[in-house]
Amino acid sequence: MTLGAALVPLVPWLLVRILGFSQSTLDFEALGCSADGVRVAAFCTAAAVAAVAFADAAGVRWPKAMGAELTRTYEELFCEPARPHGFVRHLGNAYSNAIYVFEGVLFLACQRGNTSPFCLPDVALGVLAVVHAVASFVWHASNAPKSHYVDLALMNTLIQCIFVRGGCTALSVLLGLRGAAVCFSLIALASAVCNTQHAVMLWSTGLLDDGCPVPCKEIGFRGKGVTTAALFVGRPIGCILMPAIPMCCLRSVGCLPILQLTLAAFALGFAICVFERYALGGVELPKSPWLAAMLSPTAIMHVLSGAALIGSYFHCRSQDLVATQMGL
């Protein structure tokens, strides 16, 4: 899997070298990423981190009604040891969600002056990213099982929307950018509905309230849930196929450096996630809170996946510019 993660970024490079696809220049201003936008996103992120740190230091605790004492599911899924009496029970896994705050605010800031038909859908994408950051923080800070279901629904919707955002650019060849933006909005809405329905089912049945039905460390290693594990591990294929669709339709890889960094971050982050989920299976890291936070596979995965989502969005913007230049 590590070798696969290293090879993934070579795919777009081969498209340029062998098939003669064009590539865009790296121009952050043209992609809507201004210095002011980055400063706003950084300020909002720092403010959120400071607010959480203050609440933790002030002794704020999670309400008992949330069921935060039910930690078995969390312990089976993740390796970072808990701080039993803290507002932030897992420093690394919780604070690493800061990158999702940065991501969401940056997406919103990038819409200033954006005249693309994708502007309104991208605003919704930015709001989704911020809401996901909050939900993911609550899950990793409190370990309350019900918050897990909300986090899963928002996380899956966000990832699917980012992938589909790129794939829909290919439709501009047939429908123009406006038609492609409408299609993206409809598919994103369908994704949100499906993921919400799944979360409601988990919430109502309490399937993951007190432990996993099949411990992750047994999946695929002792004959249980092999198909589920295979589908999970095979997800990175989508991170290649979805960007490949508009690349083939437009005969352009967009901004190659951004695409390569995005694919590398996603593949490596996913490899770390699979390693923790199916190999480590909840094995605890050192008890030192800050050392465990820095070594936590999930915290590292959060940073890498956040970087991948940011890169994926700006790669989509670079493909939008290609489509515009083609008069679509």
Side-chain angles (χ1 to χ4, degrees):
M1 181 166 290
T2 303
L3 178 61
L7 294 178
V8 164
L10 293 178
V11 175
W13 181 82
L14 290 174
L15 291 176
V16 172
R17 294 294 179 180
I18 297 177
L19 298 181
F21 282 22
S22 65
Q23 57 177 303
S24 307
T25 57
L26 181 59
D27 185 348
F28 286 108
E29 290 290 339
L31 298 177
C33 183
S34 66
D36 287 341
V38 173
R39 280 193 289 268
V40 169
F43 174 79
C44 291
T45 303
V49 170
V52 169
F54 178 80
D56 195 20
V60 175
R61 297 293 179 264
W62 297 100
K64 290 186 177 180
M66 291 182 63
E69 72 281 355
L70 300 174
T71 61
R72 182 181 169 191
T73 300
Y74 197 95
E75 291 167 356
E76 288 182 0
L77 291 174
F78 305 101
C79 298
E80 185 181 4
R83 301 165 66 225
H85 306 296
F87 176 68
V88 180
R89 291 187 172 181
H90 299 269
L91 296 175
N93 293 355
Y95 277 110
S96 56
N97 286 287
I99 192 168
Y100 298 136
V101 178
F102 179 84
E103 162 196 312
V105 177
L106 184 61
F107 288 176
L108 293 172
C110 288
Q111 305 318 312
R112 184 178 182 181
N114 184 9
T115 58
S116 165
F118 278 99
C119 181
L120 285 179
D122 285 355
V123 168
L125 199 62
V127 173
L128 174 62
V130 173
V131 175
H132 165 247
V134 174
S136 183
F137 167 78
V138 172
W139 162 234
H140 288 288
S142 72
N143 307 160
K146 298 300 186 185
S147 67
H148 186 198
Y149 308 139
V150 179
D151 175 39
L152 283 176
L154 291 168
M155 175 185 68
N156 289 332
T157 302
L158 178 61
I159 293 174
Q160 290 163 11
C161 286
I162 286 286
F163 282 166
V164 172
R165 170 70 170 80
C168 281
T169 306
L171 294 176
S172 62
V173 175
L174 299 174
L175 305 175
L177 276 176
R178 190 172 299 280
V182 171
C183 288
F184 167 65
S185 300
L186 294 175
I187 295 172
L189 181 61
S191 170
V193 170
C194 291
N195 286 311
T196 300
Q197 288 179 334
H198 184 247
V200 169
M201 182 274 292
L202 291 174
W203 185 299
S204 60
T205 60
L207 186 63
L208 300 175
D209 278 6
D210 192 23
C212 301
V214 179
C216 289
K217 61 184 177 182
E218 296 185 7
I219 294 178
F221 292 94
R222 301 181 186 176
K224 299 179 181 179
V226 177
T227 302
T228 300
L231 290 173
F232 182 76
V233 173
R235 283 183 184 178
I237 296 174
C239 84
I240 300 175
L241 293 182
M242 270 302 181
I245 296 173
M247 285 191 288
C248 291
C249 291
L250 300 174
R251 298 286 300 176
S252 172
V253 298
C255 185
L256 184 59
I258 291 179
L259 179 58
Q260 288 181 308
L261 289 174
T262 298
L263 293 176
F266 181 81
L268 182 57
F270 196 84
I272 291 172
C273 177
V274 171
F275 178 71
E276 180 181 32
R277 188 69 53 86
Y278 295 114
L280 296 180
V283 175
E284 278 202 355
L285 295 171
K287 292 293 184 181
S288 170
W290 289 107
L291 179 60
M294 290 186 289
L295 296 176
S296 170
T298 294
I300 298 171
M301 184 273 292
H302 281 167
V303 174
L304 289 171
S305 64
L309 291 172
I310 292 171
S312 182
Y313 173 73
F314 284 113
H315 179 256
C316 291
R317 291 286 295 261
S318 74
Q319 291 289 64
D320 291 349
L321 289 176
V322 173
T324 300
Q325 291 165 2
M326 293 173 63
L328 300 177

